[in-house]
Amino acid sequence: MQQKSLSRKLLTKVLSVYFILTFVVTLGQIVAEYFNTKDHINGELATLQQTFSGSLTRAIWELNTQQALIIADGLLAIPAIEGIIVRDDSGAVITQLGRYIDINERYSNQLVQEGVRLTEQNSGLFGYTFPLIFEFSGRATQVGDVTLFSSRAVVLDRIKIGIYFLVGNAMLKTTFLILLFLLAFRSQLTLPLSELTQQIEDLELDHLEGTKVEVRHDEANELTVMADAFNRLIARVQDYKVQLESTQKQLLHSNEKLDQHNLLLEQEVARKTSGLSQAMMDLQQQKQELEVKQQALREEIERRRHSEEALRGKQSELEKTVDDLKQAQDRLVQSEKMAALGGFVAGITHEVNTPVGIGVTATSFLAEKLEALDYAYRDKTLSPKVLEHFIEEAKQSTSLLQSNLTRASELIASFKQIAVDQTSDAIRTINLAEYLHEVIRSLQPNFKKTRHHIDVNCPESLMLSCPAGAISQIFTNLLMNSLIHGFEELEEGYIRITVLDEGQMVDITYSDNGRGLTQEQLEKLFHPFFTTKRDQGGSGLGTHITYNLVRQTLGGSIQVSSEPGHGLSYHIRFPKNLKRNS
């Protein structure tokens, strides 16, 4: 059995308590330094309102977007600032640079009326929002607001040297304390105890006469007391040894006499009872064997009864577990559909906001020009040249209004149809080429900031009678998988959708030039909860839902092929006309 040193054990406990206290104190100092520096940076962000708000307010008032962008770039160059968002008086974003968070979730399209601090987010960003007020002729008009962002990385960079100093100081003190304790324990406990132990191990039990153990120490302590007690024990052992030898001699003599009497008695008893003993032994043995067999039989019957009850209970639990898993899978699939629809709504809302905002601006501009024209008319200063200039600007404004409102109308119409389809399994007749373009248009907010290309090759007159929501969900999952997984670390990707009309069947080939999958990943692609983005929030249900929609909802087949670095290709076939079972 391995022995544990008492001094080492005691030293370990003492140093453990010291390490914990040092760690807690150092950690508290680091946390306090972090929050003090963070408050200081928040104060710097608030101070920047006095420095840059005047020039930025004038640039927005004069509609000088270029100047506003230059000022925003200048602010972003400040080390404490990692991101900036500038909005105009309608709440529309003029520019957003660096790292930032979506402030529309907090403020919507409303402007802040006074300085507001943004608390730290999970991404480490925090910031300060202040209004831009333009004063003209004694009137104050809010022309927008600005949000400045800093991050946890900036705070840590400022306190980095302080952290190094605190950690180094703690390590230096800890090292010195360890050395001091090691020397003290070695001289006062470890070495004297080792000498005492060695003397005890060197003792010979057969030669204890005149044997003593000694501890080399300048003053009396617990070890000297232990040595004296052990010496007294050796003396008592010597006395007991002498008494034991005398007693053993007497016992040997008595045993010899007793053995002689026992031998005679045993011979007589053995002669008279040998027959009877043998018979009783045989009967007793048979009885014991029978009892053992009966007990084993009862135990086997009881064990089998318990096993049968346990199996029945396990069967009931397994049936309930299977039902629960089926319900959970259905809920997860429905949640995935709702999550996709939520992302779709957010993208369409952001996309519609641009043409609507341009329409509002054009309307405001036209109203100002009408007011100026009315003033000139009433003031008798209206000239043909002014009227012609007004008509030209009115035509441009109405043209801008018409094009942007048409764009918003098309987006809303596409959104309404796709949204209804994704939440309904109703069978309706669709033009596949037009419907594919509607699905792609609904996902445009996700693709418009990339250089990826989508090529659709589909007969213009191909009509399908099927659940349109299944078609929308399938291509939404495939396109978003290519964007999120296939085109990761790829600046310019290509997606090709080829549709063939084969009589009563539709043949679709979907391919991209993304990163591809290994053979092991390909075998698990359609399994539920399989994803390569588990650490980034992936649910692993997209391809599983696609597989079930093709096989069950559309009554078709789906195959996939891929190689690492050579993209991914799906081959899908299903009937053109699907009749719902009554």
Side-chain angles (χ1 to χ4, degrees):
M1 181 177 178
Q2 186 177 4
Q3 297 181 352
K4 294 184 178 179
S5 173
L6 178 62
S7 60
R8 182 178 301 174
K9 188 174 181 181
L10 180 60
L11 180 62
T12 301
K13 291 183 177 181
V14 173
L15 292 179
S16 298
V17 174
Y18 176 76
F19 287 158
I20 294 173
L21 291 176
T22 303
F23 177 76
V24 171
V25 172
T26 304
L27 185 62
Q29 291 175 337
I30 292 174
V31 171
E33 184 69 16
Y34 174 84
F35 282 105
N36 288 336
T37 304
K38 181 179 176 183
D39 290 339
H40 182 70
I41 291 177
N42 276 322
E44 291 182 4
L45 296 182
T47 304
L48 289 175
Q49 176 181 2
Q50 306 297 329
T51 306
F52 289 92
S53 62
S55 56
L56 190 57
T57 300
R58 179 168 294 278
I60 296 175
W61 175 262
E62 295 175 353
L63 301 180
N64 190 346
T65 305
Q66 185 63 31
Q67 181 65 22
L69 293 176
I70 292 173
I71 296 173
D73 287 335
L75 284 171
L76 190 61
I78 297 175
I81 297 179
E82 288 211 352
I84 179 172
I85 295 178
V86 181
R87 301 192 300 173
D88 59 17
D89 56 350
S90 63
V93 175
I94 297 176
T95 180
Q96 47 189 12
L97 303 173
R99 297 178 59 197
Y100 54 85
I101 60 176
D102 187 3
I103 61 174
N104 287 332
E105 296 181 357
R106 177 166 181 174
Y107 302 130
S108 185
N109 288 332
Q110 297 180 357
L111 300 178
V112 298
Q113 303 300 319
E114 58 183 10
V116 178
R117 285 190 178 182
L118 297 177
T119 58
E120 185 171 336
Q121 306 296 311
N122 293 333
S123 61
L125 292 176
F126 60 91
Y128 180 74
T129 302
F130 58 86
L132 297 177
I133 308 297
F134 183 79
E135 295 185 0
F136 180 74
S137 299
R139 294 177 57 190
T141 303
Q142 185 171 355
V143 298
D145 59 22
V146 177
T147 302
L148 302 178
F149 294 97
S150 188
S151 70
R152 186 185 301 122
V154 174
V155 179
L156 293 177
D157 187 63
R158 288 197 178 184
I159 66 173
K160 180 168 59 179
I161 295 180
I163 293 176
Y164 290 160
F165 177 76
L166 289 175
V167 173
N169 184 32
M171 293 178 63
L172 182 62
K173 291 191 293 186
T174 302
T175 303
F176 177 76
L177 186 64
I178 290 175
L179 294 176
L180 183 63
F181 269 93
L182 283 174
L183 294 175
F185 271 77
R186 178 178 176 82
S187 62
Q188 297 297 323
L189 182 61
T190 304
L191 291 178
L193 192 59
S194 298
E195 293 179 358
L196 179 62
T197 303
Q198 187 63 41
Q199 293 181 40
I200 294 174
E201 290 180 351
D202 293 340
L203 290 177
E204 296 182 5
L205 297 179
D206 295 333
H207 303 85
L208 294 176
E209 293 80 1
T211 303
K212 290 185 179 181
V213 295
E214 297 179 353
V215 178
R216 299 178 182 179
H217 211 279
D218 297 336
E219 56 185 13
N221 54 26
E222 289 82 353
L223 294 178
T224 57
V225 173
M226 184 186 299
D228 294 339
F230 193 79
N231 290 329
R232 290 194 296 273
L233 177 62
I234 291 175
R236 288 200 297 270
V237 168
Q238 292 176 349
D239 295 338
Y240 292 151
K241 184 178 178 181
V242 173
Q243 296 177 7
L244 180 61
E245 291 176 351
S246 176
T247 304
Q248 284 179 343
K249 291 179 180 179
Q250 297 176 3
L251 182 61
L252 288 174
H253 182 68
S254 299
N255 285 338
E256 290 177 355
K257 293 182 179 180
L258 183 61
D259 288 340
Q260 294 177 0
H261 290 292
N262 286 338
L263 181 60
L264 296 175
L265 182 61
E266 287 176 356
Q267 291 176 353
E268 183 68 20
V269 172
R271 185 181 61 80
K272 293 181 179 180
T273 60
S274 58
L276 180 62
S277 298
Q278 186 63 36
M280 292 182 63
M281 289 175 62
D282 293 340
L283 183 62
Q284 185 69 22
Q285 183 177 3
Q286 293 176 0
K287 180 180 178 182
Q288 291 178 352
E289 291 177 355
L290 181 61
E291 290 177 350
V292 170
K293 291 180 179 180
Q294 289 178 345
Q295 181 64 25
L297 182 60
R298 284 195 296 268
E299 292 177 354
E300 181 66 19
I301 294 173
E302 186 67 18
R303 185 181 63 80
R304 292 187 178 184
R305 185 177 65 82
H306 286 302
S307 299
E308 183 178 359
E309 293 177 354
L311 287 175
R312 289 177 181 174
K314 291 294 183 182
Q315 182 179 4
S316 301
E317 293 178 2
L318 288 175
E319 292 175 353
K320 184 176 182 300
T321 302
V322 170
D323 293 338
D324 293 340
L325 287 175
K326 289 181 179 179
Q327 295 177 5
Q329 183 176 0
D330 293 339
R331 288 195 296 269
L332 284 173
V333 170
Q334 191 64 26
S335 298
E336 184 74 9
K337 290 183 178 180
M338 291 298 103
L341 181 59
F344 174 55
V345 171
I348 289 295
T349 302
H350 181 74
E351 193 71 11
V352 169
N353 186 57
T354 299
V356 171
I358 294 174
V360 171
T361 303
T363 303
S364 301
F365 176 76
L366 188 58
E368 291 179 0
K369 294 300 178 180
L370 278 173
E371 185 177 353
L373 182 66
D374 181 66
Y375 179 78
Y377 173 74
R378 296 179 182 275
D379 198 37
K380 307 300 183 180
T381 59
L382 180 61
S383 64
K385 184 176 181 180
V386 172
L387 183 58
E388 291 175 359
H389 184 64
F390 168 76
I391 293 173
E392 182 64 25
E393 290 179 339
K395 287 180 179 180
Q396 293 178 0
S397 297
T398 54
S399 175
L400 188 64
L401 273 171
Q402 184 177 4
S403 62
N404 281 277
L405 291 179
T406 301
R407 170 62 177 161
S409 176
E410 292 175 353
L411 288 172
I412 293 172
S414 174
F415 161 70
K416 289 171 61 179
Q417 187 58 61
I418 297 298
V420 170
D421 288 340
Q422 286 193 355
T423 56
S424 172
D425 293 332
I427 295 177
R428 67 184 184 92
T429 301
I430 61 173
N431 183 301
L432 184 57
E434 295 178 357
Y435 196 75
L436 286 177
H437 286 295
E438 288 185 4
V439 173
I440 294 172
R441 188 184 302 118
S442 69
L443 298 176
Q444 196 59 32
N446 298 289
F447 282 85
K448 71 176 184 178
K449 293 184 179 180
T450 68
R451 293 195 293 170
H452 305 318
H453 304 279
I454 303 175
D455 182 21
V456 179
N457 185 9
C458 177
E460 297 295 334
S461 60
L462 180 56
M463 305 298 294
L464 301 182
S465 178
C466 64
I471 301 295
S472 170
Q473 189 70 40
I474 289 170
F475 282 96
T476 297
N477 289 346
L478 296 182
L479 288 168
M480 292 307 296
N481 277 350
S482 294
L483 177 63
I484 297 173
H485 302 278
F487 294 158
E488 184 180 18
E489 300 178 358
L490 187 64
E491 294 184 359
E492 188 170 4
Y494 291 89
I495 297 174
R496 184 169 288 105
I497 303 173
T498 303
V499 183
L500 300 178
D501 186 354
E502 298 183 352
Q504 296 300 320
M505 300 294 291
V506 177
D507 187 281
I508 301 175
T509 301
Y510 176 97
S511 62
D512 64 35
N513 65 334
R515 62 193 300 179
L517 295 175
T518 64
Q519 185 62 33
E520 181 181 0
Q521 293 173 333
L522 203 61
E523 293 175 355
K524 300 178 182 178
L525 181 61
F526 294 130
H527 291 186
F529 309 113
F530 172 74
T531 177
T532 60
K533 298 287 186 179
R534 179 75 62 193
D535 56 342
Q536 300 180 19
S539 65
L541 291 175
T543 52
H544 179 65
I545 292 173
T546 300
Y547 179 83
N548 288 333
L549 289 174
V550 174
R551 295 294 300 272
Q552 299 177 10
T553 306
L554 299 180
S557 63
I558 179 171
Q559 298 176 345
V560 62
S561 61
S562 177
E563 291 182 4
H566 292 82
L568 191 72
S569 177
Y570 292 93
H571 184 210
I572 302 172
R573 287 176 58 86
F574 58 87
K576 291 168 60 176
N577 298 313
L578 184 65
K579 296 181 179 180
R580 184 178 295 278
N581 295 330
S582 57

